[in-house]
Every structure is written in structure tokens, then in C-alpha cells.
Amino acid sequence: MINRPQGMLDFFPEETEKLQYIENTVRDIANRFGFGEIRTPVLESTELFSRGVGNTTDVVQKEMYTFVDRDGPSFSLKPEGTAGVVRAILESGKYGDAMPLKYYYITNCYRHERPQKGRYREFSQFGVEMFGSDSPAADVTVISMADMIIKTLGIKKVDLRINSIGCPKCRPKYHQLLKDYFSDKTDRLCETCKSRLETNPLRILDCKSESCKAVSKDAPKMIDCLCEECKEHMDSLRDSLKKLGIDYTVDTSIVRGLDYYKKTVFEFVCSDERMGAQSTICGGGRYDGLVEELGGSHLPACGFGMGITRLLPTVSIPDDKKKSVTIYLASLGQKASEEALLIVNNLRLKGVSAECDTMGRSLKAQMKYANKLSAGSVVILGDDEISNGKAVLRNMTDGSQSEIVIDKIADYFTE
Ligand code: HAM
């Protein structure tokens, strides 16, 4: 037997129904916020991620699915969605359109991480990216969208945590503080972090190794080193969140795992027991320098990514959104089953979900199956019913029965 790749999942209709419910909800809310859908390739030049996401990040250093194409160039399956969207904007000239540009996507991402509950090597992510505004109003827009989605999906025990990781003006000073702090503790850092000390000490704070986590605990905090502009940005964001009634805490330990962030970073963390250890359901922030880094001119931006696959255990589909069969036509005998097929086809043409037997099963077995499908109504067709042109319609919710003219079944359900 051939197994599915490690850390990747199969989804059968019971699960895809929930995925579709989440996708429909996020699309609906993205539309309300004026975001349009963007679709970009599942793979991009490896250089896009090493320059965009950052050479010293775990994602680029350890987790990408990279391969050399038949023609020579190196490609990587996208580990995240932001870099591809920026590349698409730069390449398409949308860059010159009226601002802000507001895009969303639902895409599979690929990271070669150690699989565990909630952490997969292939996972679905909903993301939004908003370009053109350097105002905290843009940060608030994307945060309030994530908040609305989480509340609409009925996910409980969620905390919003925000932080500021500064900008190119104030961060060098902080990097120096980090270097000083870690310089006499290098023996406790993992090999990757030893090299990060020189290249990008902020990344040490995000390392998953237990010893690095322990050393990082008492490291200086970026929030204490912010320049005036970053401080004002953070204060204004906090003020707006308060006005919108969105609860949050400032968590100075959030640095995010990708290099492009400046100023605001945030995460929505869910403590529902069904989540397992992977509790961050959404993460994002501001990335004002990424467009320039990838060859464009200055274009401020912010956004977030929400792990749809990770959300699954905490979401239940409300009864009125569950898929159901409106009517099941049970039949007795060859003539009736042929008639049932015709009626069912007619119902489906008119937009009604309808089922009939395709297995040659007994009436008892058909009734059992209709129950399994949670059919709203059942009609039993036999020879008598066909010659009379009438049958009994049974409402499966309240058990009531009424007579129905067979030729009018479709009208009954579409009126
Ligand atoms: P990220 O924090 O790397 O950010 O991922 C966003 C979300 O994707 C996480 O909060 C989590 O819910 C989900 N996720 C990440 N890795 C996995 C995994 N291995 N298995 C299951 N779910 C996972 C980004 O990707 C940024 N591009 C977000 C962003 C957009 N920032 C600005 N714009």
C-alpha cells in the first residue's frame, strides 16, 4: 500500500463540508471589507522567499520544499502567501493602481516541519494583504477582519496579542542590545542561532529549540527601544482597537517567524483544548519594506494569515448551514424506480437536492438510507401510486403526512 506523504491530510466530504463552511465565511467577510481574491502559483522562484521571507528564518533555512526544475532554475512550493502576492503586484503593474490595494487568498502552503496536531506540511491558509497605507487605520482594518471571522465562526477562548518590533530606524540599536545580551551565552544557543547572532539576532527569539527559548526568556524587549514614530503608531493602533471594542494584550514576546515585519505584529491565540499545542490560529502584521526589498519603490503594507486547517477542530457548522437532502424518493419495483429517477432529475434541474435509490435496495433499506442522509421529506413510489398519479409525502422532521400529486412534486418544492 502507498501511504500519503507525512504531515499531509486527506479530506472526505464530512471534513470538506466544514472546510467549505469556513471558506464561505471568510470570503463573505473579505467581500464586506472590500478585499478581492488573488490567485498566484503554488510555487515561486526560491529567491523570492529567500529575499522576501528572509534567509535566516526557519521557514527558509529549514522548511521549504525546494527543487530544481527541468530547465534549471530553483523553485520552492510556497511556504506562505505574502511574497507571491507582492511579486504579482510588482510584475503586473497593479502597483500603479489607485490605493489601497486589498487582496485576499485561500491557498495551500507547504512547510517541511515536524508534524503534530495542528502543524502540517501541507496546510490551507486564508490570507489578506492591504497595500498603500502607512496609517494604523490599515492595521486596524485587517485585525478587525480577523476578529470578525473568528467571532462569526464561533471560535471561543481566543486572545489577540499585539506587539511592535520597530523599524529600520530603531531596530539597529535593539539588535546591538541583543548581541550584547547573547554574547556571553552563545554556548547555550543552537548552531543555527550562533550564526544568527551576527546576521539577525531577532531570529533567536523565535527559535523553536528549547535551550534557545530558555536563554531568550530574559532578553531585552524591542518595545522598550521603539523610536517616536513606532511608539505613536502603536499607541494609535491600541486606541483604535479599544474604540472598536476589540480586546487585546500587548505581548512583547511576539517577534513572528518571517523577516519582513516592521512596527505592528499580532497573533490570535486559541486556548481551546481541542487545538493541541499549536494554538496560534492567525498571525500577521505590517511589512512596509517588503515591496522595496523585492525591487519596487516604497509601498507600505499589512496583512495576516489564518490557518484554515488548524481551525478545523474548533469549528462546528451551524444546523442551518449544513448540507442536507430536501427529498428522498423511495421506490418499490422496476417501474417506480425508473419514475423516481426522472422525478429526481427534474427536481435537481429546478435546484432542489433530491435522491433516489441507485442500488436496487429493499424499501426498508432505502428508508434507513434516507434517514442517514437526514432527508427532509420522503415520498414512497409503488405501482399503485404511479397508476393513481398520487403518493404520500412524509415530513421527516415532524412525522406529518400529506398526499401529493406526483407530477407536482417539483412545483411543491420550488414554490
Ligand atoms: P505565519 O504566522 O507563518 O504567517 O502563518 C499564518 C498562520 O498559518 C498561522 O498562524 C497558523 O494558523 C497557520 N500555519 C502556519 N504554519 C502552519 C502549519 N505548519 N500547519 C498548519 N497551519 C499553519 C504567514 O504565513 C504570513 N504570510 C502572514 C501574513 C500575511 N503576514 C502579513 N500578511
mmCIF file of all heavy atoms in Angstrom, residues 79-82 105 111 113 118-121 123 125 128-129 256 258 260-261 280-285 287 302-307 309-310, ligand 1:
data_model
loop_
_atom_site.group_PDB
_atom_site.id
_atom_site.type_symbol
_atom_site.label_atom_id
_atom_site.label_comp_id
_atom_site.label_asym_id
_atom_site.label_seq_id
_atom_site.Cartn_x
_atom_site.Cartn_y
_atom_site.Cartn_z
ATOM 1 N N PRO A 79 5.769 28.554 1.033
ATOM 2 C CA PRO A 79 5.603 28.273 2.453
ATOM 3 C C PRO A 79 4.623 29.245 3.089
ATOM 4 O O PRO A 79 4.186 29.048 4.233
ATOM 5 C CB PRO A 79 7.015 28.481 3.020
ATOM 6 C CG PRO A 79 7.655 29.465 2.096
ATOM 7 C CD PRO A 79 7.027 29.280 0.743
ATOM 8 N N GLU A 80 4.287 30.320 2.378
ATOM 9 C CA GLU A 80 3.364 31.343 2.869
ATOM 10 C C GLU A 80 2.893 32.131 1.652
ATOM 11 O O GLU A 80 3.443 31.974 0.560
ATOM 12 C CB GLU A 80 4.051 32.239 3.915
ATOM 13 C CG GLU A 80 5.287 32.967 3.437
ATOM 14 C CD GLU A 80 4.972 34.353 2.922
ATOM 15 O OE1 GLU A 80 4.382 35.134 3.677
ATOM 16 O OE2 GLU A 80 5.309 34.661 1.758
ATOM 17 N N GLY A 81 1.895 33.011 1.849
ATOM 18 C CA GLY A 81 1.275 33.632 0.685
ATOM 19 C C GLY A 81 1.722 35.044 0.343
ATOM 20 O O GLY A 81 1.526 35.505 -0.792
ATOM 21 N N THR A 82 2.332 35.749 1.290
ATOM 22 C CA THR A 82 2.588 37.179 1.096
ATOM 23 C C THR A 82 3.582 37.478 -0.033
ATOM 24 O O THR A 82 3.329 38.340 -0.881
ATOM 25 C CB THR A 82 3.106 37.795 2.419
ATOM 26 O OG1 THR A 82 2.237 37.387 3.456
ATOM 27 C CG2 THR A 82 3.152 39.303 2.348
ATOM 28 N N TYR A 105 -6.586 35.679 -0.285
ATOM 29 C CA TYR A 105 -6.380 34.392 -0.953
ATOM 30 C C TYR A 105 -6.686 33.251 0.001
ATOM 31 O O TYR A 105 -6.617 33.412 1.233
ATOM 32 C CB TYR A 105 -4.929 34.250 -1.466
ATOM 33 C CG TYR A 105 -3.886 34.626 -0.438
ATOM 34 C CD1 TYR A 105 -3.446 33.720 0.531
ATOM 35 C CD2 TYR A 105 -3.363 35.916 -0.409
ATOM 36 C CE1 TYR A 105 -2.509 34.077 1.482
ATOM 37 C CE2 TYR A 105 -2.425 36.288 0.550
ATOM 38 C CZ TYR A 105 -2.000 35.367 1.493
ATOM 39 O OH TYR A 105 -1.091 35.734 2.445
ATOM 40 N N ARG A 111 5.300 23.485 4.322
ATOM 41 C CA ARG A 111 6.473 23.677 5.191
ATOM 42 C C ARG A 111 6.911 22.315 5.711
ATOM 43 O O ARG A 111 6.090 21.582 6.276
ATOM 44 C CB ARG A 111 6.122 24.593 6.389
ATOM 45 C CG ARG A 111 5.757 25.999 5.964
ATOM 46 C CD ARG A 111 5.530 26.933 7.147
ATOM 47 N NE ARG A 111 4.940 28.182 6.689
ATOM 48 C CZ ARG A 111 4.549 29.161 7.487
ATOM 49 N NH1 ARG A 111 4.710 29.060 8.798
ATOM 50 N NH2 ARG A 111 4.018 30.263 6.984
ATOM 51 N N GLU A 113 7.936 20.886 8.295
ATOM 52 C CA GLU A 113 8.086 20.987 9.751
ATOM 53 C C GLU A 113 7.886 19.598 10.347
ATOM 54 O O GLU A 113 7.417 18.686 9.682
ATOM 55 C CB GLU A 113 7.029 21.924 10.329
ATOM 56 C CG GLU A 113 7.152 23.355 9.838
ATOM 57 C CD GLU A 113 6.287 24.299 10.669
ATOM 58 O OE1 GLU A 113 6.674 24.594 11.808
ATOM 59 O OE2 GLU A 113 5.242 24.736 10.167
ATOM 60 N N GLY A 118 -2.272 19.984 14.368
ATOM 61 C CA GLY A 118 -2.329 21.418 14.075
ATOM 62 C C GLY A 118 -1.128 21.937 13.301
ATOM 63 O O GLY A 118 -1.125 23.085 12.868
ATOM 64 N N ARG A 119 -0.092 21.092 13.166
ATOM 65 C CA ARG A 119 1.083 21.532 12.383
ATOM 66 C C ARG A 119 1.313 20.527 11.262
ATOM 67 O O ARG A 119 1.659 19.374 11.532
ATOM 68 C CB ARG A 119 2.309 21.637 13.275
ATOM 69 C CG ARG A 119 3.513 22.188 12.513
ATOM 70 C CD ARG A 119 4.590 22.674 13.443
ATOM 71 N NE ARG A 119 5.204 21.568 14.137
ATOM 72 C CZ ARG A 119 5.943 21.703 15.244
ATOM 73 N NH1 ARG A 119 6.133 22.885 15.772
ATOM 74 N NH2 ARG A 119 6.476 20.651 15.812
ATOM 75 N N TYR A 120 1.084 20.968 10.043
ATOM 76 C CA TYR A 120 1.127 20.066 8.908
ATOM 77 C C TYR A 120 2.159 20.544 7.896
ATOM 78 O O TYR A 120 2.585 21.695 7.924
ATOM 79 C CB TYR A 120 -0.268 19.976 8.258
ATOM 80 C CG TYR A 120 -1.311 19.624 9.284
ATOM 81 C CD1 TYR A 120 -2.163 20.597 9.806
ATOM 82 C CD2 TYR A 120 -1.396 18.330 9.793
ATOM 83 C CE1 TYR A 120 -3.079 20.289 10.795
ATOM 84 C CE2 TYR A 120 -2.309 18.006 10.779
ATOM 85 C CZ TYR A 120 -3.144 18.993 11.281
ATOM 86 O OH TYR A 120 -4.030 18.690 12.273
ATOM 87 N N ARG A 121 2.529 19.623 7.005
ATOM 88 C CA ARG A 121 3.470 20.020 5.950
ATOM 89 C C ARG A 121 2.736 20.612 4.754
ATOM 90 O O ARG A 121 3.309 21.363 3.993
ATOM 91 C CB ARG A 121 4.321 18.810 5.563
ATOM 92 C CG ARG A 121 5.256 18.442 6.703
ATOM 93 C CD ARG A 121 6.148 17.285 6.375
ATOM 94 N NE ARG A 121 7.101 17.086 7.458
ATOM 95 C CZ ARG A 121 7.964 16.096 7.524
ATOM 96 N NH1 ARG A 121 7.993 15.190 6.552
ATOM 97 N NH2 ARG A 121 8.793 16.007 8.530
ATOM 98 N N PHE A 123 -0.854 22.721 4.373
ATOM 99 C CA PHE A 123 -1.996 23.272 5.102
ATOM 100 C C PHE A 123 -2.635 24.391 4.303
ATOM 101 O O PHE A 123 -1.998 25.012 3.455
ATOM 102 C CB PHE A 123 -1.584 23.772 6.502
ATOM 103 C CG PHE A 123 -0.525 24.844 6.479
ATOM 104 C CD1 PHE A 123 -0.862 26.189 6.538
ATOM 105 C CD2 PHE A 123 0.825 24.506 6.396
ATOM 106 C CE1 PHE A 123 0.114 27.184 6.510
ATOM 107 C CE2 PHE A 123 1.807 25.491 6.363
ATOM 108 C CZ PHE A 123 1.459 26.823 6.423
ATOM 109 N N GLN A 125 -4.353 28.030 4.010
ATOM 110 C CA GLN A 125 -4.257 29.313 4.715
ATOM 111 C C GLN A 125 -5.145 30.352 4.019
ATOM 112 O O GLN A 125 -5.157 30.443 2.799
ATOM 113 C CB GLN A 125 -2.801 29.788 4.678
ATOM 114 C CG GLN A 125 -2.464 30.808 5.739
ATOM 115 C CD GLN A 125 -1.103 31.458 5.503
ATOM 116 O OE1 GLN A 125 -0.916 32.223 4.572
ATOM 117 N NE2 GLN A 125 -0.147 31.139 6.356
ATOM 118 N N VAL A 128 -4.851 37.856 3.936
ATOM 119 C CA VAL A 128 -5.232 39.143 3.342
ATOM 120 C C VAL A 128 -4.009 40.055 3.316
ATOM 121 O O VAL A 128 -3.166 39.982 4.207
ATOM 122 C CB VAL A 128 -6.382 39.854 4.102
ATOM 123 C CG1 VAL A 128 -7.562 38.941 4.294
ATOM 124 C CG2 VAL A 128 -5.935 40.400 5.432
ATOM 125 N N GLU A 129 -3.934 40.862 2.270
ATOM 126 C CA GLU A 129 -2.822 41.805 2.135
ATOM 127 C C GLU A 129 -3.401 43.146 1.699
ATOM 128 O O GLU A 129 -4.192 43.205 0.764
ATOM 129 C CB GLU A 129 -1.805 41.319 1.084
ATOM 130 C CG GLU A 129 -1.419 39.839 1.148
ATOM 131 C CD GLU A 129 -0.640 39.437 2.399
ATOM 132 O OE1 GLU A 129 -0.265 40.322 3.201
ATOM 133 O OE2 GLU A 129 -0.414 38.224 2.591
ATOM 134 N N ARG A 256 7.325 37.049 15.510
ATOM 135 C CA ARG A 256 6.927 36.452 14.238
ATOM 136 C C ARG A 256 8.106 35.734 13.579
ATOM 137 O O ARG A 256 9.257 36.050 13.806
ATOM 138 C CB ARG A 256 6.346 37.493 13.261
ATOM 139 C CG ARG A 256 5.259 38.337 13.852
ATOM 140 C CD ARG A 256 3.902 37.663 13.887
ATOM 141 N NE ARG A 256 3.452 37.305 12.576
ATOM 142 C CZ ARG A 256 3.041 36.069 12.223
ATOM 143 N NH1 ARG A 256 3.025 35.101 13.113
ATOM 144 N NH2 ARG A 256 2.621 35.823 11.012
ATOM 145 N N LEU A 258 8.840 35.424 10.323
ATOM 146 C CA LEU A 258 9.218 35.835 8.973
ATOM 147 C C LEU A 258 9.885 37.205 9.063
ATOM 148 O O LEU A 258 9.510 38.020 9.908
ATOM 149 C CB LEU A 258 7.972 35.880 8.071
ATOM 150 C CG LEU A 258 7.024 34.673 8.235
ATOM 151 C CD1 LEU A 258 5.665 34.933 7.628
ATOM 152 C CD2 LEU A 258 7.632 33.429 7.602
ATOM 153 N N TYR A 260 9.961 39.924 7.170
ATOM 154 C CA TYR A 260 9.522 41.183 6.549
ATOM 155 C C TYR A 260 8.776 42.150 7.456
ATOM 156 O O TYR A 260 8.435 43.248 7.041
ATOM 157 C CB TYR A 260 8.723 40.924 5.274
ATOM 158 C CG TYR A 260 7.656 39.850 5.311
ATOM 159 C CD1 TYR A 260 6.541 39.947 6.116
ATOM 160 C CD2 TYR A 260 7.766 38.727 4.484
ATOM 161 C CE1 TYR A 260 5.560 38.963 6.098
ATOM 162 C CE2 TYR A 260 6.787 37.735 4.466
ATOM 163 C CZ TYR A 260 5.690 37.862 5.277
ATOM 164 O OH TYR A 260 4.717 36.889 5.260
ATOM 165 N N TYR A 261 8.505 41.776 8.696
ATOM 166 C CA TYR A 261 7.659 42.635 9.531
ATOM 167 C C TYR A 261 8.382 43.875 10.069
ATOM 168 O O TYR A 261 9.570 43.831 10.397
ATOM 169 C CB TYR A 261 7.080 41.842 10.701
ATOM 170 C CG TYR A 261 6.099 40.788 10.248
ATOM 171 C CD1 TYR A 261 6.429 39.441 10.290
ATOM 172 C CD2 TYR A 261 4.853 41.149 9.752
ATOM 173 C CE1 TYR A 261 5.530 38.468 9.858
ATOM 174 C CE2 TYR A 261 3.950 40.184 9.314
ATOM 175 C CZ TYR A 261 4.297 38.858 9.372
ATOM 176 O OH TYR A 261 3.411 37.902 8.944
ATOM 177 N N THR A 280 -1.713 29.059 17.746
ATOM 178 C CA THR A 280 -1.812 30.325 17.006
ATOM 179 C C THR A 280 -2.651 30.105 15.749
ATOM 180 O O THR A 280 -2.224 29.419 14.823
ATOM 181 C CB THR A 280 -0.413 30.853 16.628
ATOM 182 O OG1 THR A 280 0.369 30.891 17.815
ATOM 183 C CG2 THR A 280 -0.496 32.249 16.024
ATOM 184 N N ILE A 281 -3.852 30.683 15.743
ATOM 185 C CA ILE A 281 -4.733 30.431 14.595
ATOM 186 C C ILE A 281 -4.568 31.497 13.512
ATOM 187 O O ILE A 281 -4.992 31.312 12.388
ATOM 188 C CB ILE A 281 -6.212 30.314 15.030
ATOM 189 C CG1 ILE A 281 -6.655 31.510 15.871
ATOM 190 C CG2 ILE A 281 -6.442 29.018 15.785
ATOM 191 C CD1 ILE A 281 -8.127 31.483 16.228
ATOM 192 N N CYS A 282 -3.956 32.622 13.885
ATOM 193 C CA CYS A 282 -3.808 33.702 12.911
ATOM 194 C C CYS A 282 -2.606 34.559 13.301
ATOM 195 O O CYS A 282 -2.395 34.826 14.482
ATOM 196 C CB CYS A 282 -5.092 34.541 12.936
ATOM 197 S SG CYS A 282 -5.029 36.015 11.916
ATOM 198 N N GLY A 283 -1.824 34.956 12.315
ATOM 199 C CA GLY A 283 -0.678 35.816 12.609
ATOM 200 C C GLY A 283 -0.458 36.795 11.477
ATOM 201 O O GLY A 283 -0.710 36.487 10.311
ATOM 202 N N GLY A 284 -0.012 37.976 11.820
ATOM 203 C CA GLY A 284 0.228 38.954 10.763
ATOM 204 C C GLY A 284 0.919 40.186 11.285
ATOM 205 O O GLY A 284 1.468 40.203 12.394
ATOM 206 N N GLY A 285 0.870 41.226 10.471
ATOM 207 C CA GLY A 285 1.499 42.477 10.872
ATOM 208 C C GLY A 285 1.777 43.358 9.673
ATOM 209 O O GLY A 285 1.303 43.107 8.564
ATOM 210 N N TYR A 287 4.331 45.165 6.962
ATOM 211 C CA TYR A 287 5.604 44.839 6.277
ATOM 212 C C TYR A 287 5.940 45.918 5.258
ATOM 213 O O TYR A 287 6.010 45.673 4.053
ATOM 214 C CB TYR A 287 5.536 43.433 5.642
ATOM 215 C CG TYR A 287 4.353 43.153 4.752
ATOM 216 C CD1 TYR A 287 4.432 43.287 3.375
ATOM 217 C CD2 TYR A 287 3.140 42.729 5.291
ATOM 218 C CE1 TYR A 287 3.355 43.021 2.547
ATOM 219 C CE2 TYR A 287 2.052 42.461 4.484
ATOM 220 C CZ TYR A 287 2.166 42.613 3.111
ATOM 221 O OH TYR A 287 1.087 42.358 2.297
ATOM 222 N N CYS A 302 0.183 45.817 5.066
ATOM 223 C CA CYS A 302 -0.016 44.951 6.230
ATOM 224 C C CYS A 302 -1.014 43.849 5.877
ATOM 225 O O CYS A 302 -1.713 43.942 4.863
ATOM 226 C CB CYS A 302 -0.474 45.741 7.448
ATOM 227 S SG CYS A 302 -2.017 46.595 7.232
ATOM 228 N N GLY A 303 -1.041 42.817 6.695
ATOM 229 C CA GLY A 303 -1.938 41.701 6.396
ATOM 230 C C GLY A 303 -1.829 40.626 7.455
ATOM 231 O O GLY A 303 -1.166 40.801 8.484
ATOM 232 N N PHE A 304 -2.498 39.493 7.188
ATOM 233 C CA PHE A 304 -2.388 38.356 8.113
ATOM 234 C C PHE A 304 -2.616 37.053 7.368
ATOM 235 O O PHE A 304 -3.130 37.049 6.236
ATOM 236 C CB PHE A 304 -3.383 38.480 9.277
ATOM 237 C CG PHE A 304 -4.843 38.366 8.881
ATOM 238 C CD1 PHE A 304 -5.425 37.126 8.606
ATOM 239 C CD2 PHE A 304 -5.642 39.492 8.795
ATOM 240 C CE1 PHE A 304 -6.766 37.019 8.252
ATOM 241 C CE2 PHE A 304 -6.983 39.405 8.437
ATOM 242 C CZ PHE A 304 -7.546 38.159 8.163
ATOM 243 N N GLY A 305 -2.232 35.957 8.013
ATOM 244 C CA GLY A 305 -2.534 34.622 7.503
ATOM 245 C C GLY A 305 -3.261 33.855 8.596
ATOM 246 O O GLY A 305 -2.893 33.950 9.778
ATOM 247 N N MET A 306 -4.307 33.132 8.211
ATOM 248 C CA MET A 306 -5.082 32.366 9.194
ATOM 249 C C MET A 306 -5.069 30.906 8.748
ATOM 250 O O MET A 306 -5.370 30.615 7.585
ATOM 251 C CB MET A 306 -6.516 32.909 9.212
ATOM 252 C CG MET A 306 -7.377 32.330 10.298
ATOM 253 S SD MET A 306 -9.049 33.027 10.257
ATOM 254 C CE MET A 306 -8.821 34.624 10.987
ATOM 255 N N GLY A 307 -4.687 30.015 9.649
ATOM 256 C CA GLY A 307 -4.564 28.598 9.286
ATOM 257 C C GLY A 307 -5.920 27.914 9.269
ATOM 258 O O GLY A 307 -6.444 27.552 10.324
ATOM 259 N N THR A 309 -6.710 24.913 8.126
ATOM 260 C CA THR A 309 -6.591 23.520 8.574
ATOM 261 C C THR A 309 -6.495 23.464 10.107
ATOM 262 O O THR A 309 -7.099 22.607 10.746
ATOM 263 C CB THR A 309 -5.337 22.864 7.950
ATOM 264 O OG1 THR A 309 -5.258 23.248 6.578
ATOM 265 C CG2 THR A 309 -5.384 21.363 8.070
ATOM 266 N N ARG A 310 -5.771 24.421 10.667
ATOM 267 C CA ARG A 310 -5.594 24.447 12.120
ATOM 268 C C ARG A 310 -6.900 24.776 12.848
ATOM 269 O O ARG A 310 -7.104 24.365 13.982
ATOM 270 C CB ARG A 310 -4.507 25.482 12.463
ATOM 271 C CG ARG A 310 -4.058 25.413 13.876
ATOM 272 C CD ARG A 310 -2.842 26.277 14.096
ATOM 273 N NE ARG A 310 -1.614 25.663 13.603
ATOM 274 C CZ ARG A 310 -0.422 26.214 13.721
ATOM 275 N NH1 ARG A 310 -0.287 27.386 14.310
ATOM 276 N NH2 ARG A 310 0.644 25.607 13.259
HETATM 277 P P1 HAM B 1 2.501 32.613 9.649
HETATM 278 O O1 HAM B 1 2.379 33.039 11.055
HETATM 279 O O2 HAM B 1 3.731 31.896 9.258
HETATM 280 O O3 HAM B 1 2.312 33.914 8.771
HETATM 281 O O4 HAM B 1 1.257 31.704 9.269
HETATM 282 C C1 HAM B 1 -0.060 32.171 9.458
HETATM 283 C C2 HAM B 1 -0.933 31.086 10.053
HETATM 284 O O5 HAM B 1 -0.871 29.899 9.252
HETATM 285 C C3 HAM B 1 -0.503 30.620 11.435
HETATM 286 O O6 HAM B 1 -0.993 31.476 12.428
HETATM 287 C C4 HAM B 1 -1.150 29.259 11.509
HETATM 288 O O7 HAM B 1 -2.516 29.375 11.863
HETATM 289 C C5 HAM B 1 -1.054 28.766 10.087
HETATM 290 N N1 HAM B 1 0.100 27.845 9.938
HETATM 291 C C6 HAM B 1 1.404 28.173 9.826
HETATM 292 N N2 HAM B 1 2.158 27.061 9.722
HETATM 293 C C7 HAM B 1 1.308 26.016 9.776
HETATM 294 C C8 HAM B 1 1.473 24.583 9.709
HETATM 295 N N3 HAM B 1 2.662 24.032 9.564
HETATM 296 N N4 HAM B 1 0.348 23.813 9.811
HETATM 297 C C9 HAM B 1 -0.873 24.376 9.943
HETATM 298 N N5 HAM B 1 -1.094 25.707 9.997
HETATM 299 C C10 HAM B 1 -0.014 26.513 9.917
HETATM 300 C C11 HAM B 1 2.337 33.937 7.412
HETATM 301 O O8 HAM B 1 2.307 32.953 6.715
HETATM 302 C C12 HAM B 1 2.273 35.335 6.838
HETATM 303 N N6 HAM B 1 2.353 35.246 5.382
HETATM 304 C C13 HAM B 1 1.017 36.035 7.297
HETATM 305 C C14 HAM B 1 0.915 37.432 6.771
HETATM 306 C C15 HAM B 1 0.199 37.849 5.695
HETATM 307 N N7 HAM B 1 1.533 38.485 7.270
HETATM 308 C C16 HAM B 1 1.234 39.548 6.549
HETATM 309 N N8 HAM B 1 0.431 39.158 5.582
#
